[in-house]
Amino acid sequence: MGALQAEIERRGERIFDLVDRHPEPLFSKAGFYQRMMALSMRDEHFKVQLFRFVDVLASLHRGTDIVQHLDQYFADMRNGYAPLIRTGVRAAKIVPWISGQFLRWNVSGMARQFIAGRNPQDVMKTLRKRRAQGIGFTVDLLGEAVVSEQEANEYATRCLELLEHLGRETRGWTDPLGKNAELFPVVNLSVKISALYSQMNPADPADAIVHLAPKLRPILRRAQELGAFVNFDMESYAHKNATLELFRALFTETEFRNWPHVGIVIQAYLRDAEDDLRDLLDWGRRRGTRFAVRLVKGAYWDFEKIKSRQNGWACPVFLQKPESDLNFELLTRIMLENESIVTSAFGSHNVRSIAHAQALADQLGIDRGRFEFQLLYGMAGPVKRALVEMGYRVREYSPVGELLPGMAYLVRRLLENTSNEGFLRAKFSENVAESELLRDPADLIAEGPNGARHVEVSGDGASLDTPPGDTYENAPLVNFVYQQNQDRMRQALEHVRTQLGQKYPLIINGEKVWTDKTIASINPSFPDNVVGHVAEAGIPEAERAVKAARDAFEKWSRTSFETRCRLVERAADIMHRRRYELSALEVFEVGKAWAEADGDIREAMDFCRFYAHQMRLIGRPRLTQHVLGEESYQHYWPRGVAMIIAPWNFPMAILCGMTTAALVTGNTVIMKPAEQSAVIGAMLMEIFEEAGVPPGVLNYLPGKGSVMGAHLVDHKDIDLIAFTGSREVGLRIWESAGKTREGQRELKRVICEMGGKNAVIIDADADLDEAIVDTIYSAFGYQGQKCSACSRLIILEEIYPRAMKRLLNAAASLRVGNPEEPGITVGPVIDGTAYKRILEYIDIGKNESRLAFQRADVPQKGFFIPPTIFTNVSPKTRIACEEIFGPVLSVIRARDLDEALEIANGTEFALTAGFFSRSPANIERAKAEIVAGNVYINRSCTGAVVGRHPFGGFKMSGGGTKAGGADYLLQFVVPRVVTENITRHGFAPETTPQYRDEFLPPR
């Protein structure tokens, strides 16, 4: 055993000895709270339901509602406590107005376990008690979720008021330890950066700094005047880099450069925490003034893990607790070894981590008065007392705020306290041996069942883990948190800008074909800028393309499915290589914001790989039944020549998806992109040519839909039409394809995906922090130009006033502008025709209902439509029934859920729908009753992911097909069964293979 480990154990044993002199349970408040937490640690399902009930309780105001939710969350418990729980629920129903308030009072007690006061006046009672115990404070104002700039400004005002109150009430207070007091002001304020700006975007830290700095400077100036300390809290990984940049930028300014009483948090559970800390120390030395670092493990572990898995990113946090503990000790050493420039605050309840900091400081000769320990209010009281008794400075992190804004903080504390790996649970609840609690975390990692799992991470934050075999996995989104990804996107924009204005030919039978006419694709942000000139196909070129596709069909249809799968997978690889370039082109040609453009390219890659995966599943003939003496195999043949007609709003994804589905199933293709996105179509053709598509198998044919497109729809040699677009055009294609033409060999199959008039319902108990943010994105993301966009918002009467206030303020805070700039949410609509049509609908809305909001500050140049919200909308008005396809939202008030569902289902469309609620019963009802192809609960109603959310609607939204679904390829093929009598003179094989090789002609 090394000397340091021996000293850690000695000091840890000393702390435990002092702790045991004043024993108390893990949870300092006894009774209801302690019993609930104890049960949570024994039953995971109960824990989940309890935390969900706690989360919703603050939004419930009637006793009947509280008891109703209690019943929904706990009535189906199946653990040993189920009879007791069910008895309690039945009793609560008898007098709900009394039992509801009793439950609220008890859960409020749970909140008071962790929240030091409701307001500045209230928190002072706690701070005075702690002062008497020799414990200092840092006060944190709860309310991290802001959806608008009004809420952000209110938070800034409350920070200033809190600072003033603390300064006034603590006048004459001195540092509890009494030495090195110049490093540790009495008044210490922790600030949540995300609560000061509602539009923080990881892709645009510069914008965050521009908006945050003016709000922070008055707070910092007043703190300087009061002799107070200000600490920047660290929250989710998405905001980490912006917070660090903001900290360095502000405290390099002349006004604050020489001020030492500022600090920032470093989270030890982050894999890149060491790099961040060393960068801060380098900056601090250049600045020449001390600053502080609060070192913590991190409180968003569950969130970061979920978010990274959903988006295909490498997880930014360590996946094993001992890894975080070990990193904490590494960072502790770095901080103490740089004590000349950084004041250390160690935020941990883990006695091993605390003892390590003490022992290391002593080994380095650092006086115990030059650093401090910070612990959370309401937790680990005996540890705080022990540290004070040992002569260390202790500061308590003291949140202040009302129950509702504090709910997210409360749930994080509950998760922390009941975590299987939590130190407090191990020590105070499960009585784990002290020797085990003081072990070196490096030993614990080594003893893991498979050792520490270090996910390999690429430079742009994508996971390099590969799935086994041919298991399908979505491509990761680009994570614009990383500076290198931001730089690559900017470089791609500059590169593509130099390529604008080029000419692109048709591609027929592998040959470039030029025509007299061209289609000019323009930049909707700057209509004077031409993105490219694309040759326009007429009827002669259409005939030529049909002949090329028909001639190529015989050989391509008899090409092995594995060859076809590899072709589309090569195309996906090329897209991956050109990903930023293609995204940049979408910014210019169709006005997509960075993340929207990247999402479209990701979806195109996903379609290629997913359909290849699906083709491998259905490509081999499959035995229908095992019957002795006979083998009967079903397999699929391609239909023939496919006409692909794609829209401009997902210019790469939808065009690629329909094309890939046709190609991988053995059809030959005539690919007609939308005129507005014809250059992106040319890029897709270029990609498939590089991938090795044979001549005639894929033909690129942009042109006028009313001329060339209509001719091909009616053509006798077109066997299949895959269309995504407007209802008007879709119904015309559907009708035309139903007519049999002279010489036609096949009944035409039409895959028709059209528009929607999608509704989102906000239930009375919905989490408005989530509902407003997701609804705003669903309605105004990509200017509302998604068939899945929310165009009707149905709000239950009970929550209507609160929801509307936050909705309107959130809409007013949206970033509107040129999508070349990172972080823009609302850009231009696609062209002048759309611009004119949407404005006409806005005029209709002004006559039919009340204009509640319309942005005034939109760019004058370009096709920019201001985000617009109408209220007092009748469900039968035109703006509530007709697809507008722009940033226009109709808000409808509903008496109750019955009426809300009736309104939601009351249009001719059935594409997507959303429902926000925390009532399990209402959620189940929405799942069963909402009429839509894709129903989304407690999330945005846009953003379907291939394979995960097969996408498509019915009624007047489409024919019921599901793009990105397991059965989508079956639309492109005809089933065929081959049966053979395998009996010879009374003899037959006992077994027949489940699958056999393809039926292919001899080479």
Side-chain angles (χ1 to χ4, degrees):
M1 181 188 299
L4 181 61
Q5 175 64 19
E7 182 62 15
I8 291 169
E9 291 185 7
R10 187 186 71 79
R11 288 172 179 269
E13 289 163 2
R14 170 66 174 152
I15 295 171
F16 283 132
D17 180 57
L18 293 170
V19 164
D20 291 340
R21 293 183 194 178
H22 307 284
E24 69 176 46
L26 169 55
F27 311 112
S28 56
K29 289 186 182 291
F32 174 83
Y33 176 70
Q34 193 171 329
R35 287 192 292 273
M36 291 299 99
M37 291 299 96
L39 185 52
S40 293
M41 288 187 285
R42 286 194 286 271
D43 189 309
E44 183 66 22
H45 180 55
F46 179 83
K47 172 179 164 180
V48 170
Q49 296 301 87
L50 174 66
F51 291 0
R52 286 179 172 173
F53 179 67
V54 168
D55 176 57
V56 72
L57 185 64
S59 67
L60 305 176
H61 303 288
R62 293 192 297 265
T64 50
D65 291 336
I66 294 173
V67 172
Q68 188 178 63
H69 281 73
L70 181 76
D71 184 27
Q72 292 174 18
Y73 278 111
F74 295 107
D76 66 341
M77 285 289 121
R78 295 292 181 266
N79 55 30
Y81 295 87
L84 180 63
I85 293 169
R86 282 195 287 270
T87 299
V89 170
R90 284 195 296 269
K93 288 180 178 179
I94 297 171
V95 277
W97 57 92
I98 297 175
S99 50
Q101 294 310 309
F102 176 74
L103 282 164
R104 178 184 287 277
W105 179 78
N106 270 302
V107 174
S108 296
M110 292 171 66
R112 285 191 291 273
Q113 163 87 11
F114 303 112
I115 298 174
R118 294 186 305 276
N119 51 49
Q121 294 76 24
D122 192 32
V123 78
M124 284 308 304
K125 302 171 189 174
T126 301
L127 302 187
R128 290 188 182 98
K129 290 177 184 175
R130 295 298 180 267
R131 183 189 179 214
Q133 297 165 356
I135 297 174
F137 66 84
T138 180
V139 176
D140 161 51
L141 191 61
L142 292 171
E144 60 209 68
V146 294
V147 303
S148 67
E149 284 308 275
Q150 178 172 323
E151 292 178 7
N153 292 336
E154 289 170 356
Y155 180 85
T157 300
R158 283 166 40 227
C159 280
L160 263 176
E161 291 172 350
L162 177 60
L163 191 58
E164 293 284 359
H165 188 81
L166 292 172
R168 184 169 58 251
E169 294 296 317
T170 61
R171 195 173 291 125
W173 288 24
T174 56
D175 176 66
L177 204 58
K179 58 180 179 178
N180 297 303
E182 72 281 359
L183 300 179
F184 302 97
V186 169
V187 175
N188 188 307
L189 178 70
S190 291
V191 179
K192 281 187 167 55
I193 301 304
S194 66
L196 289 167
Y197 183 39
S198 64
Q199 303 300 303
M200 284 186 75
N201 189 305
D204 200 357
D207 171 76
I209 293 170
V210 165
H211 286 83
L212 286 163
K215 295 178 183 177
L216 279 162
R217 287 189 189 104
I219 297 170
L220 300 177
R221 288 183 190 121
R222 188 58 184 140
Q224 272 187 315
E225 293 165 1
L226 292 170
F229 183 99
V230 175
N231 195 80
F232 284 19
D233 271 351
M234 194 67 74
E235 300 163 86
S236 68
Y237 190 73
H239 298 323
K240 173 182 72 75
N241 291 341
T243 303
L244 288 165
E245 287 187 37
L246 174 69
F247 183 80
R248 288 190 288 258
L250 272 172
F251 297 114
T252 306
E253 293 177 1
T254 304
E255 185 177 2
F256 306 117
R257 188 182 188 101
N258 298 320
W259 185 27
H261 298 144
V262 295
I264 191 167
V265 169
I266 290 288
Q267 297 162 308
Y269 69 0
L270 294 179
R271 298 173 186 272
D272 54 7
E274 182 182 351
D275 292 339
D276 290 336
L277 178 57
R278 292 191 184 279
D279 287 344
L280 275 172
L281 293 170
D282 290 342
W283 165 83
R285 277 187 281 271
R286 292 193 302 272
R287 177 177 178 248
T289 306
R290 291 183 74 87
F291 69 102
V293 168
R294 177 197 295 154
L295 180 62
V296 302
K297 301 287 171 67
Y300 296 81
W301 187 86
D302 295 273
F303 171 81
E304 301 293 1
K305 186 178 71 169
I306 292 167
K307 189 78 173 173
S308 59
R309 286 185 178 174
Q310 286 180 346
N311 291 322
W313 297 333
C315 192
V317 298
F318 292 112
L319 297 178
Q320 289 189 34
K321 183 181 180 298
E323 291 179 284
S324 297
D325 292 339
L326 185 62
N327 201 40
F328 190 94
E329 295 189 5
L330 168 67
L331 300 175
T332 295
R333 177 176 287 278
I334 294 170
M335 288 163 61
L336 289 175
E337 287 176 344
N338 290 273
E339 198 278 333
S340 62
I341 195 66
V342 66
T343 302
S344 298
F346 301 109
S348 177
H349 302 133
N350 187 322
V351 171
R352 158 78 198 193
S353 300
I354 293 168
H356 171 267
Q358 292 179 358
L360 186 59
D362 193 55
Q363 187 182 78
L364 295 171
I366 299 171
D367 185 89
R368 66 182 56 186
R370 295 188 66 82
F371 58 91
E372 69 179 13
F373 293 101
Q374 295 190 5
L375 295 90
L376 295 170
Y377 173 80
M379 295 167 64
V383 178
K384 295 170 194 168
R385 281 196 295 271
L387 291 172
V388 170
E389 194 168 332
M390 293 171 73
Y392 287 95
R393 180 178 284 101
V394 177
R395 191 178 303 277
E396 193 170 67
Y397 186 88
S398 305
V400 57
E402 296 295 338
L403 183 59
L404 186 57
M407 198 53 65
Y409 177 84
L410 172 58
V411 171
R412 283 201 302 275
R413 294 289 77 81
L414 296 178
L415 283 169
E416 184 176 339
N417 276 335
T418 57
S419 165
N420 290 330
E421 296 184 305
F423 174 87
L424 292 178
R425 173 174 175 173
K427 166 59 182 169
F428 293 101
S429 180
E430 298 178 349
N431 298 313
V432 174
E434 293 171 4
S435 58
E436 188 67 22
L437 295 174
L438 293 174
R439 288 184 65 188
D440 188 334
D443 296 339
L444 299 175
I445 294 172
E447 290 182 4
N450 300 308
R453 180 177 182 271
H454 293 283
V455 178
E456 191 179 357
V457 181
S458 68
D460 60 1
S463 173
L464 298 183
D465 281 0
T466 53
D470 64 348
T471 302
Y472 170 74
E473 188 170 273
N474 299 100
L477 292 166
V478 166
N479 190 347
F480 286 111
V481 164
Y482 296 99
Q483 181 68 48
Q484 61 266 42
N485 291 349
Q486 299 167 25
D487 293 342
R488 289 179 72 182
M489 188 63 185
R490 289 190 177 91
Q491 291 162 8
L493 287 164
E494 288 308 307
H495 169 72
V496 171
R497 195 189 308 279
T498 66
Q499 307 297 306
L500 300 180
Q502 292 187 20
K503 294 183 178 180
Y504 301 89
L506 314 176
I507 304 293
I508 300 175
N509 204 25
E511 299 174 357
K512 295 179 180 180
V513 177
W514 299 95
T515 59
D516 294 335
K517 292 182 178 180
T518 60
I519 299 168
S521 175
I522 63 166
N523 180 349
S525 296
F526 299 97
D528 295 337
N529 294 353
V530 176
V531 175
H533 299 275
V534 180
E536 179 184 330
I539 291 175
E541 291 76 28
E543 289 290 341
R544 187 173 164 185
V546 171
K547 183 179 186 307
R550 177 59 64 190
D551 290 346
F553 175 71
E554 183 175 354
K555 183 176 180 181
W556 184 245
S557 65
R558 298 296 182 262
T559 300
S560 72
F561 71 80
E562 184 59 34
T563 299
R564 303 193 302 257
C565 289
R566 288 176 181 172
L567 170 75
V568 299
E569 287 173 335
R570 287 195 299 274
D573 293 340
I574 296 165
M575 288 180 209
H576 176 72
R577 189 186 78 226
R578 299 179 61 179
R579 183 170 191 164
Y580 288 89
E581 172 201 349
L582 296 171
S583 293
L585 178 57
E586 292 204 5
V587 172
F588 288 113
E589 190 168 29
V590 297
K592 279 188 181 279
W594 286 21
E596 296 279 355
D598 175 71
D600 192 54
I601 306 306
R602 182 258 198 132
E603 187 174 358
M605 293 189 293
D606 280 353
F607 276 132
C608 290
R609 292 171 178 147
F610 179 74
Y611 290 148
H613 174 64
Q614 291 298 313
M615 190 62 217
R616 290 188 176 105
L617 295 179
I618 68 169
R620 297 172 65 197
R622 185 178 187 276
L623 191 69
T624 57
Q625 286 184 353
H626 188 271
V627 177
L628 197 63
E630 178 182 284
E631 63 176 29
S632 191
Y633 285 95
Q634 177 169 324
H635 74 128
Y636 299 99
W637 269 358
R639 289 183 173 273
V641 177
M643 171 72 176
I644 306 298
I645 306 172
W648 48 261
N649 62 331
F650 290 92
M652 183 63 79
I654 295 179
L655 182 66
C656 179
M658 295 190 295
T659 299
T660 300
L663 289 175
V664 82
T665 48
N667 300 281
T668 54
V669 174
I670 298 171
M671 182 173 73
K672 181 195 172 302
E675 296 160 45
Q676 298 92 330
S677 57
V679 175
I680 294 166
M683 292 301 102
L684 182 60
M685 186 69 219
E686 191 177 284
I687 286 165
F688 271 107
E689 286 188 302
E690 183 182 343
V693 69
V697 171
L698 177 61
N699 304 275
Y700 169 64
L701 209 69
K704 301 287 186 186
S706 57
V707 181
M708 179 272 291
H711 178 76
L712 286 175
V713 165
D714 293 342
H715 203 289
K716 66 182 178 63
D717 286 327
I718 296 293
D719 303 298
L720 179 150
I721 302 162
F723 168 81
T724 301
S726 71
R727 171 185 165 181
E728 177 189 5
V729 176
L731 292 181
R732 203 155 57 232
I733 290 172
W734 195 277
E735 180 182 6
S736 177
K739 298 175 183 176
T740 305
R741 315 289 171 175
E742 185 177 347
Q744 183 174 324
R745 287 165 291 195
E746 298 280 347
L747 295 177
K748 291 187 183 181
R749 168 59 62 95
V750 177
I751 302 160
C752 195
E753 299 174 33
M754 300 181 287
K757 192 66 183 174
N758 311 301
V760 168
I761 299 172
I762 298 182
D763 199 2
D765 66 348
D767 182 342
L768 287 182
D769 290 344
E770 289 183 352
I772 298 302
V773 170
D774 287 343
T775 299
I776 286 287
Y777 175 71
S778 297
F780 300 119
Y782 191 43
Q783 302 77 267
Q785 297 178 122
K786 302 177 186 179
C787 54
S788 57
C790 169
S791 56
R792 296 180 298 148
L793 176 61
I794 303 164
I795 307 177
L796 267 67
E797 202 163 53
E798 185 178 334
I799 203 171
Y800 186 89
R802 284 183 291 141
M804 279 308 303
K805 179 182 177 182
R806 299 192 74 187
L807 178 78
L808 297 175
N809 288 332
S813 305
L814 282 168
R815 292 185 65 193
V816 181
N818 180 0
E820 293 175 45
E821 298 299 320
I824 291 294
T825 300
V826 182
V829 298
I830 189 64
D831 59 17
T833 302
Y835 179 82
K836 182 180 177 183
R837 187 192 70 250
I838 297 165
L839 288 180
E840 288 173 354
Y841 269 110
I842 290 174
D843 286 339
I844 291 168
K846 290 175 181 176
N847 293 324
E848 290 182 335
S849 54
R850 187 177 81 83
L851 179 64
F853 170 78
Q854 188 171 51
R855 278 287 285 271
D857 57 336
V858 299
Q860 294 304 302
K861 191 176 180 66
F863 302 124
F864 289 89
I865 297 281
T868 303
I869 298 175
F870 289 102
T871 56
N872 296 350
V873 177
S874 167
K876 299 302 180 184
T877 55
R878 288 185 63 186
I879 61 167
C881 294
E882 298 176 13
E883 188 176 32
I884 299 173
F885 224 64
V888 180
L889 178 64
S890 299
V891 183
I892 304 169
R893 187 196 300 239
R895 289 187 307 275
D896 51 31
L897 186 55
D898 289 339
E899 185 179 35
L901 291 169
E902 182 182 347
I903 294 168
N905 295 337
T907 73
E908 296 178 327
F909 298 96
L911 188 53
T912 72
F915 185 66
F916 287 91
S917 177
R918 288 180 286 189
S919 162
N922 289 354
I923 287 172
E924 288 305 308
R925 189 176 169 196
K927 290 175 181 177
E929 296 183 28
I930 291 179
V931 179
N934 289 68
V935 179
Y936 297 100
I937 310 294
N938 290 326
R939 53 150 287 172
S940 66
C941 66
T942 66
V945 176
V946 173
R948 193 182 307 169
H949 314 121
F951 186 80
F954 46 94
K955 290 171 67 174
M956 287 296 117
S957 289
T961 52
K962 284 290 189 185
D967 56 357
Y968 187 66
L969 294 187
L970 299 181
Q971 312 300 319
F972 293 78
V973 294
V974 291
R976 183 171 178 264
V977 175
V978 177
T979 304
E980 179 185 358
N981 172 19
I982 56 174
T983 303
R984 296 290 184 273
H985 301 292
F987 167 77
E990 287 292 326
T991 60
T992 307
Q994 184 73 19
Y995 292 93
R996 57 150 288 158
D997 293 337
E998 292 173 88
F999 298 117
L1000 292 174
R1003 294 186 177 182

